[in-house]
Every structure is written in C-alpha cells, then in structure tokens.
Amino acid sequence: MTEPATFLRIRDLRIGFGSGHEAVRGVDLSAERGETVALVGESGCGKSLTALALLGLLPPGASATGSAVLDGTELVGRDERALRRIRGARAGMVFQDPMSSLNPTTPVGAQIAEVLAIHTRMSRSARRRRAVELMESVGIPDAAARARQMPHQLSGGMRQRVMISIALAGRPDLLIADEPTTALDVTVQAQVLALLRERARDTVLLFITHDMGVVAEIADRVAVMYAGRIVETGPVRAVLDAPRHPYTAALLRSVPDPDRPVAGELPTIPGQVPAAGERIEGCPFRPRCARATDRCLTPPDLTPDETGGSVACWHPHELTEAAS
Amino acid sequence: MTDHLVVAEGLVKHYPVRGRGTLAAVDGVDLRVERGTTLALVGESGCGKSTTGRLLLALERPDAGRVTVAGQEVHALGRRDLRALRRTMQPVFQDPYDALNARMTVERIVAEPLRVHHAGGDVPARVRELLATVSLDPALASRYPHELSGGQRQRVAIARAIALDPAFVVCDEPVSALDVSVQAQVVNLLRRLQDERGITYLFISHDLALVRHLAQRVAVMYLGRIVEEGPAGELFADPRHPYTRLLLAAAPRPRVRDRDPAPVAVAGETPGALSRGRGCAFAPRCPLATGLCRTDDPPLRALPGTERKAACHYAESSRAGAA
Ligand SMILES: Nc1ncnc2c1ncn2[C@@H]1O[C@H](COP(=O)(O)OP(=O)(O)O)[C@@H](O)[C@H]1O
Ligand SMILES: Nc1ncnc2c1ncn2[C@@H]1O[C@H](COP(=O)(O)OP(=O)(O)O)[C@@H](O)[C@H]1O
Ligand code: SF4
Ligand code: SF4
Ligand SMILES: [Mg+2]
Ligand SMILES: [Mg+2]
C-alpha cells in the first residue's frame, strides 16, 4: 500500500436496487480510531443505507459495491457468516427507535447478557453481573433493579442507553449511531450525546443525523450528503463556521438558533431533494443552487482543499467568504 | 386593555392509572393568548402540553377550571353552540400522516370541513384557493397522503385546518417530524397565515429555537404546571426558572461551542407525574434546590419589574441568575 493506513476507509461505495435505481452513488469516507464523523443530510439522501451496508444489514433487494475496510477487514461483499462475526466483535449499531431492536418480552438485563454470551466465555452469573455493570456504565440509575424490567417500563432515554450498552458490549472498533437522539427530549439528547462522546473515545463513531445542532455537539468531522453523494467533508469547526458547498451553507442557514433570532422569514432552500430515481444532469444540487452556471452541467468531483476538507462544487464559497 | 382571545383558568385534568390512582396530567394551568399572536407551550414530553391543547380545543373536558374563547365559556356550551365554536378552533398535529384519512384524496381532505359545516359556496374553487394559500401544487389535489412528502402532508393538514377561517389554531409539534429545511418552510407558512388572517396560535413545541422565532410569549411547563411565562425575548435573554435555563442550555445550536464542561444541569430525567411530593416538583433535578424547596411548593408569581411569572423561590436571586 502506498497510502497511510486509515482505520476505516470507505471507497466508492454504491448501493443500488434491482430496478436500476442507485441510492448511494459513490461514497468515499475515512476515519481514524477515536474519531467521530457525522454523516448529515436531509431524509432520503442515503445516510442509513450507507451505514447498513457497512454492517451487511441492507434491506432485501439492495446490493452494495465498492469497498469499506475497517482495520484491515473488508466489510462490503462478505458472506453472512463473516458479517455475523464482524457485527459481533468489530461493529455495533444504535438506531433511532430502540424498541425496534429490543425484544419486548425479555428483561433488558437478560438481553444484554445474551449479547455477552455471543462475545465472551463468561459464565451465566458473570454475564448477569456484567450486564448490570454495563448498564451502570451508561448512566442507568438503580441498574440492578432496572435490569429486571421490560423495555416498555423504561423511558426512551433509558432504552437508548440500554441499546448503547448492548452496542458497546463487544468492545467494537466501529460504532454506528443512526439518528439515536431524534426521538428524545433535548435534555435527554444532551445526556445521550455526552455518553456517546465519552464512550466512543477508542472507536470510530459514525453518527448519522439531519440536525446541524447535533453535529456541532458531537462531531470531529462532518460529511454532508446530498442525493447519494458526499458533497462536502471537513473538520466540524471549519464546515460549520465557513461552509464551502452551497448546499451545506443553505442547510446551515435554515436551522434557527435560539441565541440568534432572525427577523422575518426563516431562510429556506428552494425546491426539493430529487425524487428517488430522478436523473439530474451534472451537479445534483444544480436545480436548487443560486451559484449554478453552465459548468455545473458536468458533475463536480469531491476535491480536497487546503483546510483539510473536500468539496464537490465548481463554485464553492471562498474560505474567507462569510457564507451568509 | 389587551384583547385575549383564549383564556384558561385553573385547568386540571386527571387520568386514571392502572392500580396507582390518578395522574394529574394538567395540574392547575392558567394561560392567556392575545388575539393574533402566538403563545408557545414548551417542556419535556409527558409534561402535559398536548392535554392542555386538547382542553383548549374542547376535545376533552377538564376536571376543574374553565376555558373561554372569544368570551364564550367553552365547556359550558350546549352541543349546537359548541359545534359552531369548533369551526373557529382547529388543531394541527405532529404527524400529518396519522391525522389525514389515508383513503381520501388531498382534494377531499381539504373539502371535508367545508362540507361538514355546510360552508356553502363553490367548494372546489375554495379548495383550489386553499391549496394555493399553503403553496401546494394544484396537481397534487388528486393524490393520496402516502404519495406526498412529509412537508406536503403538513401543508394539506394546514389547508384543512384553515378551511373554515378559524380564529384559533393549536399547533401540536407541527414540524417535529420534518427535515430542518422543510421545517423552515412550514414555519414561514404558519407565520404568513397569521399575518394575513390574524390567526391566534398555541404553538406546542420542544424546539426552543423555533419558539423564539415564532412566539410573542412563551409558557414553560413542568409536570402539569406552568413554571415560567413571559414575553419570548425577555424569557430567552434572562430565564428566571432553573428549568427554563436547563431547556435552553440543552438546546442544540448549529455552531461549535465549547463542549467541556457539558451543560451542567442536564442530569436526571423528568419523573412520572404520579410522584409529585411536597415542595418544588423540580427540586430533585435542580442545581439550586435548598431545604426550603423540598418543603414549600413555590407558586407561580409575577416577578416585580418584569412582565414575567415564575414558580421558583429564587427567581429573583442573583444566585439563580448566575447558574
Ligand atoms: N427498501 C428500499 N427499497 C427501495 N428503495 C429504498 C429502500 N430503502 C431506501 N431506499 C431508497 O434509498 C434512498 C436513501 O434511503 P436512506 O439511506 O434510508 O436515506 P436517509 O437515511 O438519508 O434518510 C431513499 O430515498 C430511497 O429512495
Ligand atoms: N388519554 C390519556 N389517558 C391516560 N393518560 C394520558 C392520556 N393522555 C395523556 N396522558 C398522560 O398525561 C401526561 C401528559 O401527557 P401529554 O399531555 O401527552 O404530554 P406532552 O404532550 O407534554 O408530551 C403523560 O404522563 C401521559 O402519559
Ligand atoms: S457545482 Fe454548481 S450547481 Fe453544484 S453546488 Fe456548485 S455551484 Fe451549485
Ligand atoms: S424552587 Fe428551588 S428547587 Fe424549585 S426551581 Fe426554584 S431553586 Fe429549584
Ligand atoms: Mg435514515
Ligand atoms: Mg404531546
């Protein structure tokens, strides 16, 4: 290899459906151990599919090509047995709705212990003790008593903590969190974000969200997705303070800030995200972009700039330009 | 004198809880909404916001207290008068998909209130006009809800809500399920409708940034009670109740702040409304709680020199302000 090894490196990941519709259209992304990368974009842009492909959990009918290498292990195109081993030992996932992944009729402690049975050779009683310890470690008060409760007896925040403890039980190298706080109150969201920040110090955390406010709270780096492609990446401060892609800039402007009320109307992005399967010539953002020119009829590639970021745009905002 | 379209006094609503008595979902709430303005109702889930909204719309009966809309005591009205009043009060809910009849076309959904209330006139023309008002492509009139995006569905729900020209609309988390960019469009629409038609809103939300943008006044609710109320600008600039400060600190901002220390007071979750003990209900989570707080329940009271009310023993103290 000529390039330095990167802990997680995704190359030209494409996800298509039988109909010929390509929902993820060539994603490149890399991350170092301990880094939190936020994958951000509007619904339907391909965030969840990208994450699911890394774990071999794509929905029926979807197939992935390209490559994703996690510390030497290829994740794309593996058979189910290999994938199960990877999911157990190397990668964990937390979803928006913990109820969809928890068994409603089994006490939560027993569910954590079950996961430990897959990863470890602990005895039954040791697993049960460890499950309670894990629950304590994710900030669940009164963990011994909570361990005996059913998922529906816990609050949404507590359930998400249980999911996080399950995802972390195998000490994964990669933790994927897909909108894990979208359904929670802001107060509980702040707690769960703090927990993830603390517990993801040794893993790659791929954090999926549509909320730039959450990005600001959790990410080291940001990757902005639009219509199945990454259109901008960079260090979180650089991207949020001085977005270069017109879509990133527009997305940021449309988020109201409780400390900085705007007079009059909230800025919006004209038009809509392209419908599934809709073909757009050139840059996919072109129909909604105020900076578009004839040059944009050729699709721009994601090109590195001097800030440590990359942008896929022929006419990005200048680094010095206040994108407002 | 200020013209309050909606006045709620001493609202109480209990729900039975299996084997454990009753839960005070709304526990003595007073609210006033000035005509043509927006009052935001904020707080964590389960604190009683939606129940309050339903009581104001007379979709439920309170166990105590009363609601007056345009001078009429809502829950004292006979069936026919209530029906007439209902025309002037409409809800818009979080999930437009649940709220819209899946087997009706957009056109029929919007026409339905006109037909039910025998609004008369040229219904199809009126429907076209309503769809235009909410900036919905007329080509979508023959579609079904599942064929629309979330933002389009919410526009349909809003078109239906304003079909009978209501004076009062309760928006219960109307944009929480939408993408931010679509949220901004819907919020702009709600504001435009208010400007054009003088609609009075109760805007229920947990998004303080949106609330700041939309509302003239804000009421903060905790475990069934209002704990702080006042003009939006004042309340955001200088929150007086520790719970308001907690909500504000926890609200995400689209820019990188110093992450350490994390917002200090976010420890703990809201307890069940079943367990209101003596003293201040917020005391178990409050960084400022004292012995007094654990024995004496602070009433909601006007704060001298402000237009604000707060239910905290230390609402004036510099100690509270510095937290
Ligand atoms: N099971 C599926 N069948 C067909 N198309 C799908 C399926 N799941 C997702 N898609 C397509 O892939 C696109 C991206 O979906 P997804 O990754 O879930 O987006 P996001 O997580 O960014 O909201 C969607 O717009 C949709 O067109
Ligand atoms: N129809 C009902 N029956 C029983 N309990 C209810 C009912 N509606 C609401 N509650 C309870 O009342 C409390 C307040 O609920 P709600 O008004 O929906 O709160 P919010 O809208 O602030 O989330 C919650 O504890 C909820 O479980
Ligand atoms: S390439 Fe052109 S159309 Fe695309 S974002 Fe840049 S300026 Fe806009
Ligand atoms: S009364 Fe005491 S416990 Fe309640 S909010 Fe005020 S300081 Fe906190
Ligand atoms: Mg998704
Ligand atoms: Mg509610």
Side-chain angles (χ1 to χ4, degrees), chain B residues 276-298 313-314 319:
Chain B
R276 180 182 283 276
R278 263 181 351 140
C280 174
F282 189 57
R285 299 170 75 189
C286 183
L288 305 175
T290 63
L292 172 69
C293 305
R294 281 181 270 272
T295 52
D296 288 35
D297 195 358
H313 294 305
Y314 302 106
R319 208 179 133 223

Side-chain angles (χ1 to χ4, degrees), chain A residues 67-85:
Chain A
S67 155
V69 178
L70 176 67
D71 192 23
T73 306
E74 175 63 56
L75 306 176
V76 175
R78 304 299 298 275
D79 62 36
E80 187 49 39
R81 230 181 99 219
L83 285 169
R84 219 174 300 136
R85 214 167 42 234

Side-chain angles (χ1 to χ4, degrees), chain B residues 15-16 23 25 44-51 54:
Chain B
Y15 292 115
L23 171 151
E44 289 162 297
S45 43
C47 71
K49 304 181 296 297
S50 296
T51 305
R54 288 196 303 270

Side-chain angles (χ1 to χ4, degrees), chain A residues 92-164:
Chain A
M93 180 138 184
V94 180
F95 296 94
Q96 175 176 338
D97 176 13
M99 283 311 254
S100 67
S101 345
L102 289 170
N103 181 334
T105 56
T106 306
V108 291
Q111 299 192 48
I112 301 172
E114 265 168 41
V115 179
L116 290 169
I118 303 169
H119 300 312
T120 69
R121 293 152 161 263
M122 287 183 200
S123 69
R124 243 182 99 107
S125 60
R127 288 200 301 266
R128 242 186 267 140
R129 276 198 307 276
R130 180 79 186 124
V132 173
E133 282 168 22
L134 280 169
M135 288 176 67
E136 272 164 0
S137 76
V138 292
I140 295 177
D142 216 355
R146 292 285 183 189
R148 290 191 292 273
Q149 290 188 315
M150 299 296 172
H152 75 263
Q153 292 174 294
L154 305 185
S155 69
M158 290 298 161
R159 284 197 290 262
Q160 205 52 293
R161 287 175 194 269
V162 168
M163 283 313 301
I164 291 169

Side-chain angles (χ1 to χ4, degrees), chain B residues 118-141:
Chain B
H118 307 292
D122 182 351
V123 172
R126 186 86 184 93
V127 169
R128 278 196 299 278
E129 198 182 297
L130 284 163
L131 294 181
T133 304
V134 299
S135 312
L136 202 67
D137 184 348
L140 297 177

